[in-house]
Amino acid sequence: MIVDINVSLAYEVAEPVDLVLQMRAPSFADQRLIMETFDIGTPEHVTETAAEAGLGARTLIRTSEDFRSIYAARVKIDRPTLDITALDMVPVHLLPGDIVRYLMPSRYCPSDELQSFVASEFGHLSAGQKIKAMRDWIFERFDYRPGSSNAQTTAVDTFVQRQGVCRDFAHVLVTLARASAIPARFASVYAPHVTPQDFHAVAEVYLGGTWHLIDSTGMADASEIVRIGVGLDAAEVAFLTSFGPISMTEKSISVTILEP
Protein backbone atom coordinates (compact mmCIF):
# COMPACT_ATOMS: atom_id res chain seq x y z
CA MET A 1 0.00 0.00 0.00
CA ILE A 2 1.15 3.55 -0.80
CA VAL A 3 -0.20 6.52 1.17
CA ASP A 4 0.25 10.28 0.90
CA ILE A 5 0.56 12.37 4.07
CA ASN A 6 0.05 16.14 4.25
CA VAL A 7 0.27 18.11 7.49
CA SER A 8 0.12 21.84 8.19
CA LEU A 9 0.49 23.27 11.70
CA ALA A 10 0.66 26.93 12.73
CA TYR A 11 1.15 28.58 16.14
CA GLU A 12 1.24 32.09 17.54
CA VAL A 13 4.32 32.72 19.65
CA ALA A 14 4.25 35.56 22.18
CA GLU A 15 7.82 35.19 23.48
CA PRO A 16 10.92 33.07 22.77
CA VAL A 17 9.99 29.41 23.09
CA ASP A 18 11.56 25.97 22.68
CA LEU A 19 9.61 23.38 20.69
CA VAL A 20 10.08 19.63 20.19
CA LEU A 21 8.43 18.22 17.07
CA GLN A 22 7.95 14.56 16.19
CA MET A 23 5.82 14.32 13.05
CA ARG A 24 8.03 12.85 10.33
CA ALA A 25 7.49 9.28 9.15
CA PRO A 26 10.80 7.36 9.19
CA SER A 27 11.70 4.34 7.08
CA PHE A 28 11.45 0.97 8.83
CA ALA A 29 11.64 -2.57 7.50
CA ASP A 30 7.87 -2.57 6.96
CA GLN A 31 7.42 1.03 5.73
CA ARG A 32 9.59 2.84 3.20
CA LEU A 33 9.74 6.58 2.68
CA ILE A 34 9.40 7.32 -1.05
CA MET A 35 9.26 11.12 -0.86
CA GLU A 36 9.36 13.72 1.90
CA THR A 37 9.35 17.52 2.32
CA PHE A 38 9.57 19.27 5.68
CA ASP A 39 9.35 23.05 5.90
CA ILE A 40 9.65 24.79 9.29
CA GLY A 41 10.64 28.22 8.04
CA THR A 42 13.74 29.87 9.53
CA PRO A 43 13.65 29.57 13.34
CA GLU A 44 16.61 30.80 15.36
CA HIS A 45 17.89 27.30 16.05
CA VAL A 46 17.15 23.78 14.72
CA THR A 47 18.59 20.43 15.84
CA GLU A 48 17.67 16.89 14.80
CA THR A 49 18.00 14.13 17.37
CA ALA A 50 17.06 10.45 17.51
CA ALA A 51 13.72 9.60 19.10
CA GLU A 52 12.83 6.79 21.53
CA ALA A 53 14.13 3.31 20.66
CA GLY A 54 16.03 4.89 17.77
CA LEU A 55 12.81 4.89 15.72
CA GLY A 56 12.25 8.20 14.01
CA ALA A 57 13.61 11.60 14.97
CA ARG A 58 12.76 14.68 16.97
CA THR A 59 13.27 18.24 15.73
CA LEU A 60 14.33 20.71 18.45
CA ILE A 61 13.50 24.32 17.65
CA ARG A 62 14.07 27.71 19.26
CA THR A 63 11.91 30.53 17.93
CA SER A 64 10.61 33.93 18.98
CA GLU A 65 8.28 34.37 16.00
CA ASP A 66 5.00 32.75 14.92
CA PHE A 67 5.74 29.22 13.80
CA ARG A 68 4.48 27.12 10.89
CA SER A 69 5.37 23.54 9.97
CA ILE A 70 4.41 21.98 6.62
CA TYR A 71 5.09 18.28 6.11
CA ALA A 72 4.42 16.03 3.13
CA ALA A 73 5.43 12.42 2.58
CA ARG A 74 4.68 9.41 0.42
CA VAL A 75 5.16 6.07 2.14
CA LYS A 76 5.03 2.47 0.90
CA ILE A 77 3.72 0.11 3.58
CA ASP A 78 4.63 -3.58 3.36
CA ARG A 79 3.10 -5.07 6.49
CA PRO A 80 0.70 -8.03 6.33
CA THR A 81 -2.18 -8.37 8.76
CA LEU A 82 -1.33 -11.30 11.02
CA ASP A 83 -3.52 -13.53 13.17
CA ILE A 84 -2.46 -12.19 16.56
CA THR A 85 -4.03 -15.15 18.36
CA ALA A 86 -1.42 -17.51 16.92
CA LEU A 87 1.51 -15.66 18.48
CA ASP A 88 3.27 -16.68 21.70
CA MET A 89 4.65 -14.38 24.38
CA VAL A 90 8.34 -14.27 25.23
CA PRO A 91 8.89 -15.18 28.90
CA VAL A 92 10.08 -12.20 30.93
CA HIS A 93 13.39 -13.86 31.81
CA LEU A 94 14.16 -14.30 28.08
CA LEU A 95 13.27 -10.79 26.91
CA PRO A 96 15.97 -8.70 25.18
CA GLY A 97 17.31 -5.96 27.44
CA ASP A 98 15.91 -3.10 25.37
CA ILE A 99 12.40 -4.60 25.55
CA VAL A 100 12.17 -4.89 29.35
CA ARG A 101 11.40 -1.17 29.87
CA TYR A 102 8.08 -1.68 28.06
CA LEU A 103 6.91 -3.94 30.90
CA MET A 104 7.12 -1.12 33.42
CA PRO A 105 4.35 1.20 34.65
CA SER A 106 4.61 4.72 33.25
CA ARG A 107 2.98 8.12 33.70
CA TYR A 108 -0.16 7.37 31.67
CA CYS A 109 -0.03 3.57 31.90
CA PRO A 110 0.01 2.52 35.61
CA SER A 111 -0.18 -1.17 34.79
CA ASP A 112 0.46 -2.28 38.38
CA GLU A 113 -2.99 -0.90 39.30
CA LEU A 114 -4.85 -3.22 36.91
CA GLN A 115 -3.08 -6.53 37.50
CA SER A 116 -5.95 -8.00 39.55
CA PHE A 117 -8.50 -7.06 36.89
CA VAL A 118 -6.39 -8.57 34.10
CA ALA A 119 -5.89 -11.79 36.05
CA SER A 120 -9.63 -12.22 36.65
CA GLU A 121 -10.85 -11.09 33.22
CA PHE A 122 -8.18 -12.48 30.88
CA GLY A 123 -6.14 -14.88 33.01
CA HIS A 124 -7.56 -17.97 31.29
CA LEU A 125 -6.17 -16.85 27.93
CA SER A 126 -2.61 -16.96 26.64
CA ALA A 127 -0.39 -14.58 24.69
CA GLY A 128 -1.96 -13.44 21.41
CA GLN A 129 -5.41 -14.69 22.40
CA LYS A 130 -5.21 -12.48 25.46
CA ILE A 131 -4.20 -9.41 23.45
CA LYS A 132 -7.05 -9.91 20.98
CA ALA A 133 -9.53 -10.32 23.84
CA MET A 134 -8.24 -7.11 25.45
CA ARG A 135 -8.49 -5.22 22.17
CA ASP A 136 -12.05 -6.48 21.61
CA TRP A 137 -13.04 -5.69 25.21
CA ILE A 138 -11.91 -2.06 24.83
CA PHE A 139 -13.52 -1.69 21.40
CA GLU A 140 -16.88 -3.06 22.56
CA ARG A 141 -17.15 -1.30 25.93
CA PHE A 142 -15.57 2.13 25.40
CA ASP A 143 -17.12 5.13 23.65
CA TYR A 144 -14.94 7.12 21.26
CA ARG A 145 -15.79 10.65 22.40
CA PRO A 146 -13.64 13.67 21.44
CA GLY A 147 -13.24 16.12 24.30
CA SER A 148 -13.85 13.52 26.99
CA SER A 149 -10.22 13.43 28.13
CA ASN A 150 -7.29 15.80 28.53
CA ALA A 151 -3.51 15.83 28.89
CA GLN A 152 -3.75 14.51 32.45
CA THR A 153 -6.04 11.53 31.70
CA THR A 154 -4.41 8.18 32.51
CA ALA A 155 -5.36 4.69 31.42
CA VAL A 156 -6.98 4.10 34.82
CA ASP A 157 -9.12 7.24 34.36
CA THR A 158 -10.24 5.96 30.95
CA PHE A 159 -10.80 2.47 32.35
CA VAL A 160 -13.21 3.93 34.90
CA GLN A 161 -14.95 6.42 32.59
CA ARG A 162 -15.21 4.02 29.61
CA GLN A 163 -14.69 6.82 27.10
CA GLY A 164 -11.87 8.68 25.37
CA VAL A 165 -10.05 9.18 22.09
CA CYS A 166 -7.39 7.14 20.29
CA ARG A 167 -4.72 8.21 22.77
CA ASP A 168 -6.79 6.87 25.65
CA PHE A 169 -7.75 3.62 23.90
CA ALA A 170 -4.06 2.97 23.19
CA HIS A 171 -3.07 3.73 26.79
CA VAL A 172 -5.60 1.22 28.12
CA LEU A 173 -4.41 -1.58 25.84
CA VAL A 174 -0.77 -0.86 26.66
CA THR A 175 -1.61 -0.92 30.36
CA LEU A 176 -3.56 -4.19 30.23
CA ALA A 177 -0.81 -5.88 28.21
CA ARG A 178 1.92 -4.83 30.63
CA ALA A 179 -0.23 -6.02 33.54
CA SER A 180 -0.08 -9.44 31.83
CA ALA A 181 3.74 -9.39 31.54
CA ILE A 182 3.50 -8.72 27.80
CA PRO A 183 5.70 -5.77 26.72
CA ALA A 184 3.68 -2.98 25.13
CA ARG A 185 4.34 0.55 23.98
CA PHE A 186 2.48 3.57 22.62
CA ALA A 187 2.83 4.36 18.91
CA SER A 188 2.13 7.71 17.25
CA VAL A 189 1.01 7.06 13.67
CA TYR A 190 -0.72 8.23 10.52
CA ALA A 191 -3.67 6.21 9.18
CA PRO A 192 -6.02 6.90 6.25
CA HIS A 193 -9.39 6.01 7.78
CA VAL A 194 -9.17 8.05 10.97
CA THR A 195 -12.28 10.21 11.38
CA PRO A 196 -11.84 13.13 11.65
CA GLN A 197 -8.39 13.12 10.06
CA ASP A 198 -5.71 13.75 12.67
CA PHE A 199 -2.60 12.27 14.20
CA HIS A 200 -3.54 8.81 15.45
CA ALA A 201 -2.38 6.57 18.31
CA VAL A 202 -2.27 2.79 18.62
CA ALA A 203 -0.56 0.19 20.79
CA GLU A 204 2.34 -2.04 19.87
CA VAL A 205 2.71 -5.38 21.65
CA TYR A 206 5.76 -7.63 21.73
CA LEU A 207 4.77 -11.18 20.75
CA GLY A 208 6.66 -13.90 18.91
CA GLY A 209 9.90 -11.96 19.22
CA THR A 210 8.77 -8.81 17.41
CA TRP A 211 6.38 -5.84 17.62
CA HIS A 212 2.79 -5.83 16.34
CA LEU A 213 0.49 -2.83 15.87
CA ILE A 214 -2.98 -3.07 17.45
CA ASP A 215 -5.69 -0.38 17.16
CA SER A 216 -8.41 -0.61 19.82
CA THR A 217 -10.52 2.06 18.10
CA GLY A 218 -11.04 -0.12 15.02
CA MET A 219 -10.20 2.76 12.69
CA ALA A 220 -6.84 1.47 11.42
CA ASP A 221 -5.55 -1.91 10.31
CA ALA A 222 -1.88 -2.74 10.82
CA SER A 223 -1.41 -3.05 7.05
CA GLU A 224 -2.23 0.64 6.47
CA ILE A 225 -0.55 2.33 9.45
CA VAL A 226 2.49 4.61 9.07
CA ARG A 227 4.50 4.82 12.28
CA ILE A 228 5.90 8.15 13.42
CA GLY A 229 7.47 7.06 16.70
CA VAL A 230 7.08 4.94 19.81
CA GLY A 231 7.43 5.38 23.55
CA LEU A 232 6.29 4.24 26.98
CA ASP A 233 3.19 6.41 26.56
CA ALA A 234 1.97 9.60 24.87
CA ALA A 235 4.39 11.81 26.80
CA GLU A 236 7.30 10.41 24.76
CA VAL A 237 5.79 10.78 21.29
CA ALA A 238 3.73 13.98 21.23
CA PHE A 239 3.72 15.57 17.76
CA LEU A 240 4.63 18.89 19.42
CA THR A 241 5.84 19.73 22.91
CA SER A 242 6.20 23.38 23.90
CA PHE A 243 8.47 24.73 26.63
CA GLY A 244 6.76 28.09 26.82
CA PRO A 245 3.39 29.64 25.87
CA ILE A 246 2.08 29.14 22.31
CA SER A 247 -1.37 29.12 20.71
CA MET A 248 -2.44 26.87 17.81
CA THR A 249 -3.98 28.79 14.90
CA GLU A 250 -4.10 26.04 12.27
CA LYS A 251 -4.05 22.24 12.16
CA SER A 252 -4.66 20.33 8.94
CA ILE A 253 -3.88 16.62 8.44
CA SER A 254 -4.67 14.46 5.43
CA VAL A 255 -3.73 10.80 4.90
CA THR A 256 -4.90 9.25 1.63
CA ILE A 257 -4.39 5.90 -0.08
CA LEU A 258 -2.79 6.15 -3.54
CA GLU A 259 -2.43 2.41 -4.18
CA PRO A 260 -4.03 -0.35 -2.09
Side-chain angles (χ1 to χ4, degrees):
M1 178 179 291
I2 297 177
V3 299
D4 264 3
I5 300 164
N6 289 277
V7 181
S8 179
L9 303 173
Y11 294 85
E12 288 184 350
V13 175
E15 59 187 63
V17 64
D18 292 305
L19 306 173
V20 179
L21 273 68
Q22 189 170 357
M23 55 189 293
R24 299 171 65 183
S27 288
F28 297 131
D30 55 3
Q31 68 181 52
R32 181 170 60 85
L33 202 59
I34 299 173
M35 177 278 294
E36 179 187 55
T37 61
F38 185 45
D39 182 4
I40 55 174
T42 55
E44 297 160 21
H45 183 82
V46 180
T47 302
E48 290 283 336
T49 184
E52 294 300 314
L55 302 178
R58 294 186 176 111
T59 305
L60 281 57
I61 295 168
R62 176 72 171 180
T63 183
S64 56
E65 299 180 351
D66 291 353
F67 174 75
R68 176 178 292 274
S69 173
I70 299 175
Y71 177 67
R74 181 166 295 171
V75 182
K76 180 176 177 57
I77 306 167
D78 185 13
R79 184 186 308 116
T81 301
L82 300 177
D83 178 9
I84 198 78
T85 64
L87 300 175
D88 292 327
M89 66 182 291
V90 178
V92 172
H93 66 281
L94 296 179
L95 287 171
D98 60 338
I99 304 298
V100 174
R101 75 187 298 259
Y102 299 109
L103 283 175
M104 306 303 178
S106 61
R107 175 181 175 183
Y108 293 115
C109 300
S111 50
D112 51 329
E113 297 183 31
L114 293 180
Q115 288 176 341
S116 296
F117 168 78
V118 166
S120 63
E121 186 75 18
F122 306 106
H124 62 291
L125 299 171
S126 62
Q129 292 180 345
K130 185 177 295 187
I131 293 297
K132 183 180 185 302
M134 291 172 175
R135 181 268 175 202
D136 292 347
W137 183 85
I138 297 167
F139 178 75
E140 293 166 2
R141 288 168 172 78
F142 287 50
D143 291 329
Y144 191 90
R145 189 170 299 174
S148 61
S149 60
N150 56 45
Q152 283 72 50
T153 301
T154 70
V156 171
D157 296 327
T158 305
F159 177 84
V160 171
Q161 296 163 5
R162 296 291 200 272
Q163 61 184 9
V165 293
C166 61
R167 171 187 185 275
D168 308 302
F169 281 51
H171 279 156
V172 174
L173 183 53
V174 168
T175 301
L176 296 181
R178 290 180 189 167
S180 302
I182 297 173
R185 62 193 186 187
F186 184 97
S188 174
V189 306
Y190 295 110
H193 300 300
V194 173
T195 305
Q197 285 276 276
D198 205 339
F199 294 102
H200 194 45
V202 301
E204 273 197 320
V205 297
Y206 190 79
L207 291 170
T210 191
W211 291 102
H212 302 274
L213 293 159
I214 310 287
D215 184 7
S216 301
T217 72
M219 288 192 284
D221 187 85
S223 64
E224 60 190 25
I225 289 173
V226 177
R227 290 188 194 88
I228 302 171
V230 299
L232 284 171
D233 53 36
E236 292 190 339
V237 282
F239 68 88
L240 184 143
T241 303
S242 169
F243 296 90
I246 61 172
S247 178
M248 178 180 283
T249 57
E250 178 187 330
K251 182 181 179 184
S252 173
I253 299 169
S254 173
V255 184
T256 56
I257 298 174
L258 291 186
E259 295 181 16

